[in-house]
Amino acid sequence: MSTNQPAAETPRPDEHGADHGTQVASMFDGIAGRYDLMNLVMTWGQEPRFVRRTVQRAELPDAPVVLDLATGTGDIAFEVLRQHYGATITGADFAPEMMEVGKRRPGGEQVDWVEADAMDLPFADGTFDAVTHGYLLRNVADIPTTLAEQFRVLKPGGRMVALETSPAPDNLIKPFSTAYIKYVVPQISKLITRDPEAYEYLSATSRGFKTPAQIQDLLEEAGFEDVGHETHLFGTLAIHWATKPR
């Protein structure tokens, strides 16, 4: 995307609208070139640590076959390759410009990049040892359908692991963490990206997203077992994991 072109107005996705996925994909395509840097800033430089921990929680077998949904520029996909020699990794996303950035990264040719809708995956039942994703669930119109698709494409005994934002828990830190996400992040984004409105949307979805306990309930309702989570950044980020029964 040329930096000489004027920034397009960011669509405001309607969570319940039929074109939700198209609007969100367009928004992410518009910030693809600066997405990784902004994530690093938003997490106070800790994003790589959270990505490493997400892959560790997948408890992958030798030479695993892994699907990384909402792969974006491939952070989790590349971490799978770093931690597991011989891994076969498919990175799927509905924002093609994000994946174009990933393809140009070192090792991009080792990832099978697929444009796909997380609510209607183009993969056969029982294909993958693990499904990973980062910041996917807050951006889909139907979380139960999304989790059902992940359950379907996992092999029996396969793991689902997700890195997600969480609303600030009710404690002494909440006023400060909420203010940071609501006011500081959009201002920082103006220094990094030409589309700060996109981060106002991401900030709003972070504050209004489900709690880790609610995500755990949804995973159990989808049929997963051994469901759990751990929180980071004063409770504003969570890593979720679950297993498909054998």
Side-chain angles (χ1 to χ4, degrees), residues 45-87:
Q46 297 188 66
E47 178 77 0
R49 180 170 69 86
F50 300 143
V51 168
R52 288 193 298 271
R53 183 63 172 164
T54 299
V55 174
Q56 290 167 359
R57 278 294 186 181
E59 299 178 0
L60 297 173
D62 294 335
V65 180
V66 180
L67 171 63
D68 182 41
L69 289 173
T71 194
T73 62
D75 278 353
I76 294 177
F78 288 123
E79 186 60 32
V80 169
L81 293 171
R82 278 190 287 269
Q83 292 190 24
H84 295 275
Y85 179 79

Side-chain angles (χ1 to χ4, degrees), residues 94-110:
F94 60 1
E97 290 299 324
M98 294 282 285
M99 292 190 291
E100 285 300 321
V101 174
K103 291 176 184 179
R104 296 192 293 269
R105 294 175 63 176
E109 73 284 351
Q110 298 180 59

Side-chain angles (χ1 to χ4, degrees), residues 83-137:
Q83 292 190 24
H84 295 275
Y85 179 79
T88 299
I89 181 75
T90 298
D93 205 303
F94 60 1
E97 290 299 324
M98 294 282 285
M99 292 190 291
E100 285 300 321
V101 174
K103 291 176 184 179
R104 296 192 293 269
R105 294 175 63 176
E109 73 284 351
Q110 298 180 59
V111 178
D112 181 18
W113 305 91
V114 177
E115 187 173 349
D117 182 347
M119 296 189 296
D120 186 19
L121 296 173
F123 308 109
D125 296 0
T127 299
F128 300 99
D129 295 305
V131 174
T132 61
H133 46 92
Y135 315 119
L136 166 67
L137 298 180

Side-chain angles (χ1 to χ4, degrees), residues 224-237:
F224 287 99
E225 61 183 18
D226 300 326
V227 177
H229 69 270
E230 62 186 36
T231 58
H232 300 272
L233 283 184
F234 307 108
T236 60
L237 279 179

